[in-house]
Each structure stands twice: as C-alpha cells, then as structure tokens.
Amino acid sequence: MVKVRFAPSPTGFLHIGGARTALFNWMYARAQNGKFVLRIEDTDQQRSKKEYEEEILRSMKWLGLDWDELHYQSHRFDLYRDMAQKLVDEGKAYKDGEAILLKTLKDDIKIYDLIRGEINFDTSNFVVRGEDGGVELDEHNQPKLKDEVLIKGDGSPDYNFCCVIDDALMEISCVVRGEDHISNTPKQILIYKALGFKIPKFAHLPLIMAEDGTRMSKRMGAVAVSDYKEQGFLPDALVNYLMLLGWSPGNNQEIVTLQQAIKNFSIKKVNKAAAAFSMEKLRWINGQYIKQTDTEKLTELLIPFLEKANYINQDFDRQGLKSIVELFKVRLSTLTEFLEWTDFIFHDKLQFDPEAKEKHLSQDRSKEFNLLINNFKQVENYDAISCEEAFKKTVGELGIKPGELVHPLRVALTGKAMGPSLFDIVAILGKERTIERLNSALKTDS
Ligand code: GLU
C-alpha cells in the first residue's frame, strides 16, 4: 500500500515550497488510494513554536489537504532514545558525553529515486575536516569518517535519526520531499541499515526558483501560504498553480482541480528540472477561479476583506453588494483587487487617478455636466438602461459623440479611466451620488 508523509518542522510558517511538497504527497496518496500522514517534526524545542504548528495545520486545511494520521515527534522522544541505546548495546553507536553517535562505516550507497533514477553515494566522502580544512586521518592513516549524530549533546534526537525511525515504523512506502534533502538521504540509509529497517523508495521534488532564477525566499515578498490567503488568492487556485510546479496533467491543460489531478497524477512523471515560480501565472489562474465562483459565494469570500478595509460595517446591503460583485468579478485576479476597483463605491471621497483627471477633466465641462445632471434628475427608474437613455439624450442635445462624454463622466464618478460598464456604475451609485459627483467635478474645474 502507498503510504506517504509530509513532515514539516514548525520553525516557520508553511511556505510555498512546503505546500507543494505536501500537495504532491497528498496527490500521490489519493491517486493510489493510499494513506497520507502529517508528521510535525518538532524535535528542535528551541526553534519549534506552537503558533507555527497551528498555522501549518490551518494552512493545510485551507488548501484542502486532509490527512489520515497526525503525529508529533515531540511525543516520541522515549522511542528515539531507546533506539539509540539499542544501537549502543549492539556496538553500532557510542556515547560521547550526553550525545550518541552512529559509527559511519565505509559503504557504497545506492538509492533509487522515482524522479531522478539511481543516485550513488560513497560514504568515504563523509570525512572529518580539521580546522585548516584538511581531511583528518584515523589510526590506520585512512581518512576519518564523520560519525552521525543520533542524539545531540542536549539530549534531543537529531532530525535524520527521528526521520528514519518514524518513516520505518509508520511504514512509509515512499519518502517524497524537496531536493534539498538529497544530501541527508545517504546518512539516513546508514541509519536504516544499522537499525535493520527496510529502506523505502524516495522521490525528491525539484526546487522552486523565484522568477529571477534564485531560490524562493522572503526577499521576494510572499512565501507563506497565509500571505497568499491574505492577498486574496483562492485555495483551489493556489493548489492548482502549485501542482503545475514540477508536474503537468498533459494536453497543456492548466486549469485542473484536485479531483481531476488525482485521476492521472503519477509521482514518476514529476520533472527533475527546477520549477520557476510565476506570479503572473498564479494571478491568471486565480482570476479563472474567481470567474468560476458563483456570485453568492464570492460575495461571502469578499466580506471579510471589505470589513477589514472598513468598506462595510455590520448592516451593509447584502443584495447591493452582490450586484457590485457580479459587475466586477470578471476583472479580478485576486480578491483584494476588488477593494482597489470599488473604493469609489464605498467611499464618498474620490481618489482620482491623476493622469485620468488631467486627460478627461481638465477642460471646462460645465455645459455637458449641467445638462447631464438635468437629464439624470428626470430618470424615474434609475437603472442602467434608463441612465444610458438619459446619457444618449444628453449627447444628442449637445450634438457631440458619446465617446466625448463617456470618459469625463467615468472619471468624474469613479476617479478612474477604466472599469466595467459605465451605466451599471451610474445605477449602482444612485441618482443622488451621481449628481453630487458631477457637481463636485464642476467645482474643481472652475
Ligand atoms: N522536517 C524536515 C523539513 O521540514 C522534513 C524533511 C523530510 O521530509 O524528510 O525539512
């Protein structure tokens, strides 16, 4: 049976790379009707924090990556110590103060990696170097091999040791993790061999590079899953994007739900080459998911953002909000962009785009705006269609082309040069606010 695990250390938030590792493990398990284990590697008691652990679980749930088993390494310290003692008793390990180290023997180690094929290591390369950088020699004048720490001087077990014990006892069939762990693998194999455990398969996922070709890091802005949530990315869209970092569903398909992905996911089809993170693509995918979300649900998702930005308070007009969401949803790549598009609806004071103002409101519009105000005043049923009729009537009376008045009107009402259908906006603002804004545009002109 396929049994895989995601093993984050709660020494930081769940970041994009970790989430991709979790996702590939999850897809592998679900595609094979196997099990997915979440193991919190909290052995480093100084650096592990409860808040990080909670955030990791929260982000996993938000992404929709459910687990079949949850383990904490901090609950298993006795087991690790017993195992280390067993190796000491068998003469395979030795004590050095509080620490316990495994004797490293000369060995050729082969691992079979499902993504990279065979990888060979020679433990003769694990040498001890002196302060001058030179290789130290043993009593037979052979390079001294570096012994593997199992239990550290402070009594806490080392990552490689716990990882092996847990992967073996939890019956993990394949260890799927980031490429940065390849160098740990031979050390772990030595521990498997010493403990007489069956060695699992391995699959090391390609690194995720930032757009400039360097490794993804905090310098690049958002790296934590929670940052993406805050910026208004939808979990399904983020998951969809992450699955494309190293895997492809084929046929150049880019919009793939988790349910579709698990039908044809294969860990062997994962690329070896590093994957490049593209914010532009993520935003595009997010926009596709936003468009597909029904307006009612999208409105619910937007409410916390609107509340946080003080756009609405408790007694807002839900029906009204839904029609605004309907109007803007095709333009959004993130939920937070809704705030940028709609500030003019929720705030009385307009923020003018200076270029738009200069281009469309700098000349005297008093004749046009005054006539528009009169004609809008007469509209009884103030909806988009009637407002458009009032507008057409106005341009007819002025003998000008609609295009000459559309832009000044949009800028006067919204402060922006672009946006959705102008008459939908006029209707959403309502008669009173439309007239007020036209009047104040007249004032600033004069
Ligand atoms: N706790 C390790 C990490 O977060 C896990 C490595 C592994 O998957 O073996 O990097």
Side-chain angles (χ1 to χ4, degrees):
M1 191 195 52
V2 164
K3 194 172 181 194
V4 290
R5 80 329 186 252
F6 172 52
S9 305
T11 52
F13 294 118
L14 180 63
H15 56 81
I16 285 295
R20 198 272 313 256
T21 301
L23 171 65
F24 279 36
N25 272 287
W26 187 94
M27 290 201 291
Y28 186 11
R30 298 294 174 250
Q32 302 288 323
N33 273 322
K35 290 250 181 297
F36 174 57
V37 173
L38 177 58
R39 187 170 74 222
I40 304 294
E41 301 209 321
D42 50 357
T43 51
D44 184 337
Q45 296 187 306
Q46 234 99 61
R47 289 171 60 227
S48 298
K49 294 218 164 60
K50 190 86 194 148
E51 91 180 89
Y52 290 138
E53 174 204 314
E54 285 168 356
E55 189 278 335
I56 292 169
L57 299 189
R58 222 176 11 249
S59 289
M60 292 283 289
K61 284 184 196 154
W62 182 70
L63 292 169
L65 305 177
D66 56 338
W67 50 87
D68 304 303
E69 290 175 24
L70 174 62
H71 300 279
Y72 291 85
Q73 287 190 326
S74 58
H75 300 174
R76 297 163 67 84
F77 275 26
D78 288 348
L79 169 70
Y80 307 134
R81 280 193 202 111
D82 289 351
M83 289 280 182
Q85 187 56 48
K86 180 172 162 275
L87 291 174
V88 173
D89 295 344
E90 291 171 0
K92 295 173 180 165
Y94 61 93
K95 288 194 173 155
D96 180 6
E98 285 301 303
I100 299 181
L101 289 91
L102 180 73
K103 287 180 198 156
T104 297
L105 305 175
K106 199 170 156 9
D107 198 353
D108 281 325
I109 291 174
K110 255 189 210 7
I111 62 162
Y112 190 72
D113 188 292
L114 294 182
I115 297 170
R116 277 146 222 282
E118 198 175 280
I119 312 178
N120 293 294
F121 300 92
D122 180 351
T123 58
S124 320
N125 297 326
F126 302 167
V127 289
V128 180
R129 289 186 186 275
E131 274 174 17
D132 60 355
V135 176
E136 288 187 15
L137 300 176
D138 64 12
E139 62 273 23
H140 309 295
N141 251 351
Q142 293 298 313
K144 212 171 174 180
L145 298 187
K146 195 165 194 278
D147 293 336
E148 188 57 34
V149 176
L150 305 178
I151 304 287
K152 292 187 251 187
D154 65 2
S156 66
D158 187 69
Y159 153 69
N160 282 311
F161 189 47
C162 304
C163 180
V164 167
I165 294 171
D166 287 351
D167 285 340
L169 299 185
M170 290 171 195
E171 299 179 316
I172 300 304
S173 59
C174 182
V175 171
V176 181
R177 60 185 169 198
E179 187 188 280
D180 46 333
H181 285 290
I182 290 184
S183 59
N184 285 322
T185 310
K187 299 177 196 165
Q188 295 183 0
I189 304 269
L190 290 176
I191 300 172
Y192 277 103
K193 287 187 174 176
L195 288 168
F197 287 147
K198 182 167 175 259
I199 298 172
K201 291 181 210 148
F202 290 90
H204 287 96
L205 304 173
L207 289 180
I208 303 175
M209 307 304 253
E211 272 152 298
D212 63 0
T214 61
R215 267 190 81 168
M216 282 279 277
S217 76
K218 282 222 172 67
R219 280 184 296 119
M220 270 113 221
V223 282
V225 169
S226 52
D227 293 335
Y228 289 87
K229 180 179 182 204
E230 244 170 68
Q231 288 178 14
F233 287 92
L234 304 184
D236 294 356
L238 187 55
V239 155
N240 186 153
Y241 179 65
L242 290 177
M243 76 172 71
L244 303 177
L245 292 175
W247 179 71
S248 159
N251 305 328
N252 285 332
Q253 204 185 336
E254 294 198 301
I255 301 297
V256 196
T257 65
L258 268 185
Q259 291 315 313
Q260 290 162 343
I262 59 179
K263 289 203 187 104
N264 63 351
F265 180 77
S266 159
I267 194 76
K268 291 185 185 149
K269 298 257 168 69
V270 172
N271 262 325
K272 306 200 254 286
F277 187 87
S278 159
M279 195 61 181
E280 195 188 322
K281 188 147 169 193
L282 170 59
R283 290 170 62 85
W284 178 78
I285 290 178
N286 201 51
Q288 300 299 310
Y289 277 81
I290 290 178
K291 281 192 204 64
Q292 285 168 18
T293 306
D294 84 36
T295 303
E296 177 83 43
K297 168 126 194 271
L298 192 56
T299 306
E300 285 309 313
L301 293 174
L302 283 163
I303 287 171
F305 287 90
L306 290 159
E307 281 173 343
K308 196 168 165 218
N310 284 324
Y311 274 38
I312 54 173
N313 50 31
Q314 260 152 14
D315 43 62
F316 66 95
D317 165 15
R318 190 171 286 262
Q319 210 43 43
L321 178 59
K322 254 180 77 177
S323 47
I324 302 170
V325 172
E326 179 67 38
L327 196 56
F328 285 90
K329 84 190 239 194
V330 294
R331 301 183 170 265
L332 306 178
S333 352
T334 63
L335 298 179
T336 46
E337 276 180 11
F338 184 75
L339 302 176
E340 292 160 29
W341 278 114
T342 61
D343 58 338
F344 71 92
I345 299 175
F346 296 95
H347 297 298
D348 284 329
K349 185 150 173 40
L350 279 192
Q351 296 292 334
F352 283 95
D353 165 1
E355 230 175 87
K357 191 171 178 181
E358 172 61 30
K359 189 160 173 209
H360 300 294
L361 286 185
S362 55
Q363 46 173 296
D364 180 17
R365 299 281 180 197
S366 48
K367 188 166 154 219
E368 295 92 332
F369 281 7
N370 279 322
L371 194 56
L372 250 186
I373 290 170
N374 271 336
N375 286 335
F376 278 149
K377 268 188 187 158
Q378 282 161 35
V379 176
E380 267 172 36
N381 182 19
Y382 203 81
D383 60 14
I385 294 174
S386 317
C387 291
E388 185 165 6
E389 276 165 14
F391 175 83
K392 283 187 179 150
K393 184 166 174 253
T394 310
V395 290
E397 286 167 7
L398 291 165
I400 59 172
K401 290 196 201 107
E404 290 176 56
L405 195 51
V406 159
H407 299 294
L409 175 59
R410 183 185 290 280
V411 180
L413 297 184
T414 70
K416 302 177 209 306
M418 285 186 322
S421 156
L422 179 58
F423 300 104
D424 284 319
I425 299 239
V426 174
I428 276 174
L429 283 175
K431 192 188 278 192
E432 207 178 306
R433 283 206 287 173
T434 309
I435 291 170
E436 233 170 61
R437 287 186 189 184
L438 285 171
N439 272 324
S440 66
L442 284 175
K443 272 185 227 131
T444 44
D445 276 355
S446 55

